[in-house]
Amino acid sequence: MADTDWGSGGAPSFTKILFSDVYPAIDPSNTTLPTGFSVCVIGASRGIGAGIATSYAKAGASLIILAGRRTSGLEDVSQQCKQVGKVKDMQVQVVRCDLTIPSEVESIANQTRKICPGGLDVLALNSGVTEFVAKIIDTPTEQILNTTAVNYVGTFLVAKHFVPLLLGKDKGAKMFAVVGSMASLLVRGPIANAQYCVSKTAQLRLVELLHEECHVAQGLHVFCAHPGAVASEQSIAKSPEVFKPFLTDSAELCGSFFVWLAARGEDVSWLSGRLLSATWDVIELARRKDEIIANDMLKLKLVL
């Protein structure tokens, strides 16, 4: 990604046009998902995760499973999904899950298997911990351990237990979507740090590995998308003051982008295993398909 320009908010402008809110090309209200479409959103109790859940409801998902540690927030999002849902008899299930506890991740996968015996279309993982202590020597060890446990190990556990459910649905979307971050590429600046940025780099690498393991042979689509600079509860509380003025992107933007990916199936399979941004113009992104494939762009690389 060396040929991109970095905006003030810390995200590279890979497309000339950038969006900070939902726009017609990815508006979930303009999409109708197949009958029986099922989604599990982990980290759905607020902000970006809630935006992902409501986006799938607007697009016509038949079943949405909401998971996270805050069940009260999940119940609120469940009501929001029902209010905006395109399918009248849409089902919404709420399940508590702590990504740092392996047995709980396995348990929610087992519960999902019972709810969706025919398999799952989309797993969307939003859960993450944001910490911004700038210097390694000032960083509390417990922050490193906790952030890594959620952002990287949590992603591994979800992949381990949910990918079989995605691959198990005949003619399903088979989409494993992770809310990543362009901060995974940062080594300098006010938000560069050893805990959030490095754990998100590990998460991105895991997504690339998962794509290589499963995509060609089994049709799994693995996407890692930067959601934009969103004024979430965590980002407002944890971001350096100098960065907060750039937290201007919509919490619904990432969910709409995920719906756009899910609705297009094999037409966007060439984006699997790459780092994307919900702020990029999808029309321009599609026009750059041949260039991206030929140069194997939007991946972590060592330049020699």
Side-chain angles (χ1 to χ4, degrees):
M1 302 182 65
D3 62 339
T4 60
D5 295 322
W6 288 76
S8 300
S13 52
F14 185 71
T15 60
K16 294 179 181 179
I17 299 175
L18 297 176
F19 292 93
S20 62
D21 205 348
V22 179
Y23 56 101
I26 64 170
D27 187 342
S29 300
N30 298 331
T31 297
T32 299
L33 296 169
T35 301
F37 199 93
S38 56
V39 183
C40 177
V41 184
I42 299 179
S45 64
R46 54 187 173 176
I48 296 167
I52 293 172
T54 55
S55 293
Y56 276 104
K58 291 176 182 177
S62 299
L63 171 64
I64 300 176
I65 300 171
L66 306 174
R69 289 186 293 182
R70 303 197 322 183
T71 53
S72 59
L74 296 175
E75 293 291 351
D76 291 340
V77 176
S78 174
Q79 291 304 313
Q80 294 171 29
C81 288
K82 292 175 182 177
Q83 290 172 5
V84 302
K86 185 176 291 185
V87 175
K88 291 183 179 180
D89 58 348
M90 177 185 65
Q91 298 181 51
V92 183
Q93 301 280 343
V94 170
V95 183
R96 188 188 182 281
C97 179
D98 186 336
L99 285 182
T100 65
I101 303 176
S103 60
E104 288 200 12
V105 180
E106 183 176 10
S107 175
I108 185 180
N110 290 334
Q111 291 179 65
T112 300
R113 185 174 288 105
K114 292 178 181 179
I115 297 169
C116 308
L120 186 68
D121 281 290
V122 173
L123 186 286
L125 176 61
N126 171 59
S127 293
V129 174
T130 304
E131 297 288 354
F132 288 112
V133 177
K135 294 184 178 180
I136 292 174
I137 59 175
D138 297 328
T139 301
T141 301
E142 60 269 21
Q143 279 192 10
I144 288 286
L145 297 175
N146 184 50
T147 307
T148 304
V150 175
N151 295 353
Y152 172 63
V153 179
T155 303
F156 161 78
L157 292 171
V158 172
K160 175 181 175 65
H161 294 293
F162 276 87
V163 165
L165 295 178
L166 297 170
L167 295 176
K169 184 167 185 178
D170 184 38
K171 298 181 181 179
K174 295 180 172 59
M175 175 171 156
F176 188 89
V178 175
V179 177
S181 177
M182 289 297 174
S184 60
L185 307 177
L186 297 178
V187 293
R188 64 174 67 92
I191 63 171
N193 62 82
Q195 54 281 55
Y196 181 73
C197 296
V198 176
S199 63
K200 282 294 185 178
T201 304
Q203 181 188 63
L204 173 59
R205 199 58 160 177
L206 184 68
V207 165
E208 293 181 355
L209 179 64
L210 183 59
H211 162 80
E212 292 296 336
E213 286 184 352
C214 299
H215 175 67
V216 175
Q218 298 168 283
L220 184 72
H221 300 151
V222 189
F223 303 111
C224 186
H226 174 70
V230 179
S232 66
E233 185 177 313
Q234 276 203 90
S235 62
I236 292 173
K238 301 293 183 66
S239 296
E241 290 299 323
V242 68
F243 189 71
K244 290 181 181 179
F246 302 110
L247 300 174
T248 59
D249 294 322
S250 167
E252 287 74 39
L253 183 61
C254 188
S256 298
F257 183 62
F258 279 173
V259 168
W260 179 81
L261 289 168
R264 278 148 188 81
E266 289 300 320
D267 289 343
V268 292
S269 62
W270 55 277
L271 288 171
S272 179
R274 306 181 194 278
L275 176 60
L276 311 171
S277 175
T279 65
W280 296 344
D281 175 27
V282 296
I283 296 175
E284 185 180 348
L285 185 64
R287 289 173 181 161
R288 298 186 67 175
K289 174 181 177 180
D290 291 343
E291 174 192 2
I292 292 170
I293 294 175
N295 297 293
D296 201 23
M297 302 170 77
L298 309 177
K299 294 184 179 181
L300 289 174
K301 293 182 180 180
L302 174 65
V303 178
L304 296 174

